Amino acid sequence: MSLLSDLFAGKVLDPGYAEAAARREAAGEREPRRGRFRHGGVLLVLIVVGLLIAVAVAEVRRSEPVAQQQRSRLIGEIRTRTAESDELQRRLDRLRADTERQRVAALARSEAGRRARADLTAAGAAAAAVPVEGTALVVTLADAEPQDGGRRRADAGRVYDQDLQVLVNALWAAGARAIGINGQRLTPTTAIRTAGEAILVDYRPLTGPYEVTALGDRDRIEGALRRSAAGRRLQALEDRFGVRYGTRRTDEARLPAAGALQLRHARPRGEGGRGEGARGEGPRGEGTRRP
Amino acid sequence: MIALIGLVAGVVLGLLFEPTVPLWLQPYLPIAIVAALDAMFGGVRARLEGIFDEKVFVVSFVSNTIIAALIVFLGDQLGVGSQLSTGVVVVLGIRIFSNAAAIRRKLFGA
């Protein structure tokens, strides 16, 4: 505590000089001793102090660019990797197109091959493995406006996964070639379900309004939908709960291929023999048609 | 005058040669600088009061820096390095401020 009390008392905190002066006074010297080097010590000390300060400044300025460098190196690495994966994706696309061309060429040689190719094209379209475009019917479902709050239950006017499921199944039944929800392509095995407040389609959350695009013969789809149970159900939802439901036609609809199709039932021919390739345990009980 | 020349010469030397500080010495550099500043202000104040003594100055500088570095080193070994650094900086900062106040009083009479 003597530091603080000395401080408040206004005393000299480092009494070394005062004591030295008092000693000199007692010894009868007037001038402070010059020492051996005549200020050499002071000079030396101050050079060291200046050196220290300069080194510290240089050190601080050096360490800052190091952090900056690391950051920009990481950013550069991310960019490089992204470019690499883009390049790989492009290569994959090229190879896929190449494979497709060669398959077409190989299958076109024989009658059986042409039949197989037609099968393959149909299967690819049915499995949503290729992008499609064409005329389409777009069915829009949206949550009810929360206009007369309190009268209805809070979530009565919400679109549920069941509504979308019913609608999608009705559209398949009505003869749609391909279906997408909010631009996401549906495969025959795509799950539509609720998780919390969001509706997941293929495990990716979507938010309303939900636009269900059904490619195919628009008149037929629209008519079949209106007559179906699903159409009546959605109409009832609109009437009773205010769920917004509407259809419109579009000439130019485009749906991408579904992401990451997995081969579940096909096996390479060499491994399991001929019969292994066509095990019928798929959801539709069909399996592949060709061994 | 000679003091200013020394200081400038030191800074110039440091900037010219840019010596790299070894990693184990880096934590002690700022503390050593604060201690050196304390010794410097003490010296200036003594000079203005007419009681400057070279021996006291050199000894106070050397002992200040070494002790400050030692305290921080000890704190690092005990795991309280940053707290002890704070303590050293606070104490030396108080001394620097009181010395600077004394210098100000001598120079400007206020």
Side-chain angles (χ1 to χ4, degrees), chain A residues 110-164:
Chain A
S110 66
E111 182 61 30
R114 277 193 287 277
R115 257 205 317 281
R117 194 187 145 210
D119 285 355
L120 204 58
T121 311
V130 288
V132 287
E133 55 182 73
T135 59
L137 182 75
V138 180
V139 183
T140 311
L141 274 182
D143 297 348
E145 300 267 14
Q147 43 196 356
D148 43 0
R151 198 164 68 78
R152 291 177 183 141
R153 285 213 322 278
D155 51 354
R158 288 235 329 266
V159 175
Y160 287 110
D161 53 346
Q162 290 169 14
D163 306 331
L164 279 177

Side-chain angles (χ1 to χ4, degrees), chain A residues 137-141 159 161-174 179 181 192 210-214 225 228 230-231 233-234 245-247:
Chain A
L137 182 75
V138 180
V139 183
T140 311
L141 274 182
V159 175
D161 53 346
Q162 290 169 14
D163 306 331
L164 279 177
Q165 285 167 9
V166 166
L167 172 64
V168 166
N169 283 338
L171 288 171
W172 283 128
I179 298 181
I181 300 182
I192 302 172
Y210 305 95
E211 288 206 333
V212 184
T213 310
L225 180 65
S228 69
R233 171 189 168 129
L234 293 172
Y245 163 60
T247 58

